[in-house]
Amino acid sequence: MANKPSVMFVCVHNAGRSQMAAGYLTHLAGDAVEVRSAGSAPANTVNPAVLEAMREEGIDLADQKPKILTAEAVQASDVVITMGCGDVCPYFPGKRYLDWKLDDPAGQGIDAVRPIRNEIRCRIEKLIAEILPSE
């Protein structure tokens, strides 16, 4: 891994889980980690319940837009975390791939999104401990 690790989060619509994960990693690790997110079939906008749930955590994702998954973005990342996109994600030797099984917040209200958000935060905190050296 480079001096500044790079992490990519991938889900189908890039409107929920991957946006929350990218938001948490950016918020908790600052500029110590390069953060990307994308989807295999991106939605037009980020899920409104996800925006609300993250706002409760002090993280504003309102300026984020779902992006299409590209092989170049995967290749430029050290760690690639998939969240329900399966075989759609390109594979490159030497990358670390993780598959996080998480409920999909699509079509869910805020009460259903909060536990997904909380699980993502726990996983992000563990990821930070793994990829960033302790000082």
Side-chain angles (χ1 to χ4, degrees):
M1 222 177 292
N3 292 342
K4 182 176 183 174
S6 123
V7 178
M8 173 142 196
F9 298 100
V10 183
C11 68
V12 176
H13 300 298
N14 190 221
R17 297 165 289 190
S18 56
Q19 291 285 353
M20 287 190 281
Y24 269 128
L25 186 54
T26 300
H27 181 75
L28 296 172
D31 62 1
V33 177
E34 187 177 351
V35 181
R36 297 180 180 91
S37 73
S40 53
N44 292 324
T45 60
V46 175
N47 179 330
V50 165
L51 293 175
E52 184 180 345
M54 293 303 284
R55 234 180 263 119
E56 292 176 353
E57 295 284 288
I59 301 171
D60 186 5
L61 299 179
D63 64 339
Q64 296 301 306
K65 303 280 183 250
K67 294 168 277 316
I68 187 74
L69 175 64
T70 66
E72 295 78 21
V74 173
Q75 196 163 20
S77 302
D78 298 308
V79 180
V80 180
I81 300 173
T82 57
M83 304 171 175
C85 75
D87 296 336
V88 174
C89 191
Y91 178 81
F92 293 98
K95 306 292 173 196
R96 179 177 175 202
Y97 288 85
L98 301 170
D99 185 37
W100 288 358
K101 304 277 189 230
L102 296 160
D103 291 336
D104 189 346
Q108 304 292 323
I110 187 73
D111 291 335
V113 172
R114 284 185 187 115
I116 301 167
R117 173 200 67 196
N118 295 345
E119 175 64 22
I120 289 171
R121 182 180 179 121
C122 288
R123 291 179 188 216
I124 292 297
E125 288 169 346
K126 288 177 189 165
L127 179 69
I128 290 169
E130 290 173 21
I131 65 172
L132 289 181
S134 315
E135 313 225 44

